Amino acid sequence: MHVVVPFSATGPKTRLAPVLTPDERRQFAQAMLDDVLDALTTAGVEPEVLATAHIDLDRDVSITVDDRPLDPAVNDVLSNTDGPVAIVMADLALATPAALARLLDADGDVVLAPGRGGGTNALVARHPDFRVDYHGASIRDHRAIAAEIGADVAEIDSSRLGTDIDAPEDLPEVLLHSEGRAADWLRAAGFELVVDDGRTTVARS
């Protein structure tokens, strides 16, 4: 199976701007990418990074640079690859090898891992006519696209794959549930968990 991890190398994670500088956002985004690549490698696959610009990674991994928006870049991969393709987002800092193996091994012409808020955090496309549309409530759109082409759909119910890290309120999830590079980066940057009136947030020292 061809496994692709799209990565925005230019100005990533803008919604984290209230708590991270542009350079910090780049570093944190790359730490999450490394976590996803670590999990995929442990799950037994060799992923390809589809980056919007050149990036330096301290690992042996295939990197393809495509500066187009996400939809045309991913759809080009889908239309030019024989056999199944998996698309796994780069900000799934909680992803584990077991959760990713469930996705990759699940039966179905199209396998979807919904994200919070209507997104699609990962998918497997085995139907040759399936294409992506990540704008808006993409999980709803991907179900509709699959139905239009007569593809059988399976969905993975996984908190590990359903949690993408986009905004400051997502950061506690990394410190609570991950021991990977993104969690290490946050701790090194001075972030720690704060529990107030039963609600867990983060503070930076």
Side-chain angles (χ1 to χ4, degrees):
M1 183 179 295
H2 187 191
V3 181
V4 176
V5 182
F7 181 70
S8 176
T10 51
K13 294 295 159 192
T14 55
R15 290 174 59 191
L16 288 171
V19 295
L20 296 177
T21 67
D23 189 55
E24 288 174 332
R25 296 200 305 272
R26 179 189 58 78
Q27 294 174 28
F28 180 59
Q30 191 159 313
M32 289 195 291
L33 170 63
D34 274 319
D35 280 342
V36 171
L37 296 177
D38 286 342
L40 285 167
T41 301
T42 303
V45 298
E46 297 182 4
E48 171 194 359
V49 177
L50 183 64
T52 57
H54 176 73
I55 54 173
D56 291 315
L57 295 177
D58 187 20
R59 65 196 309 140
D60 184 15
V61 63
S62 175
I63 301 173
T64 298
V65 175
D66 189 329
D67 63 1
R68 291 178 295 173
L70 181 61
D71 284 354
V74 170
N75 283 332
D76 190 60
V77 173
L78 292 172
S79 62
N80 288 288
T81 303
D82 293 327
V85 177
I87 308 296
V88 180
M89 292 299 134
D91 58 356
L92 305 184
L94 309 189
T96 62
L100 289 165
R102 282 184 59 208
L103 171 83
L104 300 175
D105 294 341
D107 293 330
D109 294 331
V110 176
V111 183
L112 303 172
R116 296 178 301 177
T120 307
N121 286 355
L123 63 84
V124 173
R126 296 188 177 92
H127 195 292
D129 296 330
F130 182 79
R131 299 294 183 267
V132 299
D133 181 353
Y134 284 106
H135 298 291
S138 66
I139 191 65
R140 181 180 60 188
D141 296 335
H142 289 147
R143 291 170 184 149
I145 292 167
E148 288 171 4
I149 62 174
D152 294 329
V153 177
E155 295 197 16
I156 301 297
D157 182 8
S158 170
S159 63
R160 292 283 178 176
L161 300 183
T163 304
D164 47 328
I165 309 302
D166 281 326
E169 57 266 28
D170 300 327
L171 297 181
E173 303 300 324
V174 181
L175 294 178
L176 282 167
H177 303 299
S178 174
E179 294 298 329
R181 304 189 195 204
D184 289 344
W185 188 93
L186 288 174
R187 294 186 184 101
F191 286 90
E192 59 184 5
L193 291 170
V194 176
V195 179
D196 186 17
D197 292 330
R199 182 174 180 81
T200 304
T201 59
V202 295
R204 192 173 192 180
S205 58

